[in-house]
Amino acid sequence: MKHDDLLKIMGADLGISRYRNESDESFGIRTVYSASRFWIEAFCLDDGRMGADGCQPGIISRRLNLWLDRISSIYPFIGQWIRSQRHYTPFSKLLYNRLIMVGDIISENNGGTYRCSSRHTIQIGNDLQALLGVYDTTGNDTSLPISGMMLSKREQAEPRIKCDPEWWNLPREYYAWSSCSDEGINEYADPSRKSVRDCWTSKPVLPDGIGLGRRRETHKYTYFLLHSHQNTIEARIIDNYRWPSLYTHLRNIVGNPYWADVEKLDDAHSRIEAPFSLLPPETSRWLDFMTWPEKTPDDCVFRIIRTELLKTATDMFESCGIKVRNSKTCQSN
């Protein structure tokens, strides 16, 4: 077998097809990324007890890195892409964390070991189920083509994935409030600015009576929900993961929404350009699972998705206050 045939065989087994004008490098990267799900599952099953105990995270990483190193020795561009990620989290950990987040591999001892979950489904859209656990991509004719690391099938039911993006609208009496000065808040989000990096100002901005503030501390920020009450501005601490959804809501109030631009690559694939990092965890974990990162392994802007899952992805974006629009049709890679 020629080395050039290896990725083609892997792609065929996984049901991965090239999109129009896709380069060999892009196709190879998507193939290895998708295949990593099944290698991680296999590592968790290979514990000497038929998968009953599972494997420690360090063992999963070492085994996955060994496989990736072997692939990269044949296809150097795979290793170059893996090393291009912007954040410190190792590629192997990023991959198995994505499986943990959706329940494909699970721990029953507080993260000591992880085992592959039994075969099950989760309804993630009105007509879409994610297939989790051990599935044979070559023998299950009910599943849709793999997208990212996710296998799925059509099934009409009420989604189990619930979004609650308007937590800021709970009655004021539910929480204890303080003044901005007592909390030491020194920066406020202006949702009319173009970029979140440039949105912080020295004066409060409260469209529709609510706003977002933060306090700069050593090596971190503490974020606050601001609320206008009886001619004063009250504040309460919020969890760090919550502030992006509040900021997205504020941008919508002032007519400056975030957009997800969808570019059709061919009849089976689309590219999405969107602020994935600003999505709440209950949504981002599924979009991470069902898409291929494009530029780097931790790409939070550009993703590739199968057309079959595009409607579900669109619904997820819109439920989080991110508007979706069609971009130009791709003519070349």
Side-chain angles (χ1 to χ4, degrees):
M1 181 181 65
K2 297 179 180 178
H3 284 167
D4 291 346
D5 294 334
L6 178 58
L7 292 177
K8 294 178 183 177
I9 294 171
M10 289 172 55
D13 284 345
L14 294 168
I16 298 174
S17 61
R18 292 176 184 261
Y19 57 78
R20 184 175 60 239
N21 297 327
E22 183 174 19
S23 67
D24 292 340
E25 289 78 8
S26 174
F27 174 75
I29 288 166
R30 289 198 300 117
T31 297
V32 169
Y33 183 85
S34 295
S36 296
R37 166 185 172 173
F38 305 99
W39 280 102
I40 293 170
E41 290 174 350
F43 299 149
C44 292
L45 290 169
D46 185 21
D47 63 355
R49 295 195 61 217
M50 301 180 68
D53 292 339
C55 288
Q56 296 174 354
I59 294 175
I60 296 173
S61 287
R62 286 195 295 273
R63 290 178 174 178
L64 184 59
N65 286 332
L66 181 60
W67 177 70
L68 292 169
D69 287 345
R70 289 171 175 169
I71 289 291
S72 298
S73 68
I74 303 172
Y75 304 101
F77 61 84
I78 300 290
Q80 292 168 6
W81 183 77
I82 290 171
R83 292 188 295 273
S84 70
Q85 65 186 56
R86 296 182 175 87
H87 299 104
Y88 178 73
T89 303
F91 181 58
S92 57
K93 184 176 181 179
L94 181 148
L95 289 174
Y96 70 68
N97 276 344
R98 289 184 173 171
L99 301 190
I100 292 169
M101 290 296 289
V102 298
D104 190 66
I105 61 173
I106 59 176
S107 176
E108 294 170 344
N109 53 14
N110 297 317
T113 59
Y114 286 90
R115 64 176 180 84
C116 186
S117 64
S118 59
R119 182 180 298 195
H120 65 288
T121 64
I122 292 184
Q123 194 79 26
I124 64 170
N126 290 322
D127 65 346
L128 190 71
Q129 285 186 345
L131 308 180
L132 302 174
V134 181
Y135 274 86
D136 180 5
T137 60
T138 64
N140 188 350
D141 58 6
T142 65
S143 65
L144 298 171
I146 193 169
S147 184
M149 289 192 285
M150 191 170 91
L151 292 171
S152 57
K153 68 176 182 178
R154 295 290 179 208
E155 188 73 31
Q156 291 287 339
E158 183 71 16
R160 285 177 56 188
I161 309 305
K162 300 292 185 181
C163 296
D164 183 22
E166 297 191 357
W167 50 267
W168 48 83
N169 279 338
L170 292 173
R172 174 180 172 275
E173 293 76 17
Y174 282 23
Y175 301 99
W177 298 82
S178 305
S179 70
C180 293
S181 57
D182 287 346
E183 293 290 357
I185 300 172
N186 47 29
E187 293 182 329
Y188 303 88
D190 181 351
S192 65
R193 300 283 183 89
K194 182 177 180 180
S195 168
V196 67
R197 293 186 298 272
D198 305 321
C199 78
W200 300 99
T201 68
S202 59
K203 295 182 179 180
V205 181
L206 276 75
D208 215 16
I210 61 173
L212 172 65
R214 70 181 185 183
R215 181 176 66 218
R216 186 191 297 268
E217 301 177 24
T218 304
H219 306 305
K220 70 172 187 175
Y221 290 100
T222 299
Y223 292 88
F224 297 82
L225 167 65
L226 309 180
H227 182 265
S228 178
H229 180 69
Q230 297 181 350
N231 297 320
T232 64
I233 299 176
E234 300 175 320
R236 71 171 178 88
I237 292 177
I238 58 176
D239 294 325
N240 278 7
Y241 75 88
R242 288 193 178 276
W243 76 262
S245 59
L246 174 57
Y247 179 66
T248 299
H249 175 67
L250 296 174
R251 287 179 63 113
N252 281 324
I253 291 177
V254 302
N256 184 30
Y258 277 119
W259 289 93
D261 289 313
V262 178
E263 179 183 352
K264 183 177 179 181
L265 299 174
D266 60 17
D267 290 340
H269 303 84
S270 292
R271 175 182 289 116
I272 302 174
E273 180 182 356
F276 287 89
S277 61
L278 296 181
L279 293 167
E282 64 268 19
T283 303
S284 64
R285 60 177 176 163
W286 290 104
L287 285 169
D288 287 345
F289 194 49
M290 69 171 67
T291 59
W292 288 280
E294 187 174 19
K295 307 296 183 182
T296 63
D298 53 358
D299 196 335
C300 292
V301 178
F302 295 97
R303 304 282 182 83
I304 305 297
I305 190 170
R306 285 284 309 194
T307 300
E308 295 87 351
L309 306 190
L310 185 57
K311 181 182 181 302
T312 298
T314 296
D315 292 343
M316 288 180 173
F317 280 119
E318 292 179 342
S319 74
C320 297
I322 296 177
K323 300 183 181 298
V324 180
R325 61 190 175 190
N326 291 324
S327 185
K328 63 183 180 178
T329 300
C330 179
Q331 297 298 326
S332 62
N333 187 40

